[in-house]
Structure formats: structure tokens, C-alpha cells
């Protein structure tokens, strides 16, 4: 049995991470148009571009299993107590941020 070669691609996306926004709806007469918010579209395009820059044309098979790991780094919020800030800098607790969306 031939061992499968595991491919790995790593890349960094600059900027603050955020979850995909919900679709928006606009009424045009008796029709409703659904669209993705502009900020989400721009972020998705930026991620795709960063991937293309490092992937060197490599594509994944559509039916092949895919394992994705995402590590997001957030700054320590300004309104953090000295005690919690120290714990965050020592990596004992993680910064928690509210969604901006």
C-alpha cells in the first residue's frame, strides 16, 4: 500500500480576523435581492489572493479530505485590568474581543 503524500500550505493574512457576515437583503419592487456585505467580499478576495501567491498553482482535489487550521491573533483590549493584561502576556488566558459586526 502506497503512503499518501501530505501536502501542507501555510500563509498569513494581515489584518483583524472576523467571521463571515450574514447575507443582506434589499427589496426592489416585488423582488428581493440577496447579497454578501462588501467587507466580507473584500476579505474573502484578499485571503484568496494571499493563498494564490503562496500556492504556486497547486490545487486541491475537490473530493479529497481537507484539514484546515486557523490561528487568529488579537491584540489585548485597551480596557483590560493590569492583572488580566499580565495573565494574557504570560499566555495563561487569551484576549477576548466582541464581534465588530
Amino acid at each position: 500500500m502506497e503512503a499518501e503524500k501530505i501536502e501542507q500550505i501555510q500563509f498569513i493574512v494581515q489584518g483583524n480576523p472576523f467571521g463571515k457576515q450574514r447575507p443582506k437583503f434589499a427589496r426592489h419592487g416585488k423582488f428581493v435581492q440577496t447579497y454578501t456585505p462588501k467587507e466580507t467580499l473584500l476579505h474573502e478576495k484578499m485571503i484568496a489572493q494571499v493563498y494564490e501567491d503562496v500556492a504556486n498553482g497547486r490545487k486541491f482535489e475537490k473530493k479529497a479530505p481537507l484539514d484546515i487550521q486557523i490561528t487568529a491573533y488579537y491584540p489585548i483590549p485597551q480596557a483590560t485590568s493590569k492583572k488580566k493584561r499580565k495573565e494574557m502576556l504570560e499566555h495563561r488566558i487569551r484576549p477576548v474581543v466582541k464581534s465588530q459586526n
Side-chain angles (χ1 to χ4, degrees):
M1 184 171 185
E2 191 177 315
E4 286 187 43
K5 181 182 170 192
I6 297 176
E7 246 186 283
Q8 184 174 357
I9 297 175
Q10 293 182 0
F11 58 95
I12 296 173
V13 178
Q14 299 296 324
N16 290 329
F18 63 92
K20 184 170 182 166
Q21 298 170 317
R22 291 177 174 227
K24 304 289 183 188
F25 303 94
R27 187 177 300 263
H28 295 288
K30 55 184 175 177
F31 300 101
V32 176
Q33 178 186 8
T34 306
Y35 64 96
T36 302
K38 191 174 189 176
E39 186 179 29
T40 296
L41 284 175
L42 293 174
H43 199 69
E44 288 174 347
K45 286 180 182 178
M46 181 178 69
I47 292 170
Q49 184 61 51
V50 172
Y51 169 77
E52 287 175 9
D53 291 346
V54 299
N56 296 324
R58 289 180 287 175
K59 303 263 186 208
F60 290 101
E61 293 180 34
K62 291 186 179 187
K63 294 190 178 193
L66 182 64
D67 181 24
I68 298 174
Q69 292 181 334
I70 299 173
T71 305
Y73 296 96
Y74 291 94
I76 297 173
Q78 292 284 331
T80 302
S81 69
K82 288 180 183 180
K83 178 183 175 188
K84 283 197 176 191
R85 180 178 298 278
K86 182 178 182 227
E87 290 176 332
M88 289 176 188
L89 289 171
E90 293 171 350
H91 303 287
R92 293 192 297 161
I93 63 173
R94 292 190 172 126
V96 178
V97 294
K98 285 187 176 182
S99 174
Q100 300 297 319
N101 302 332

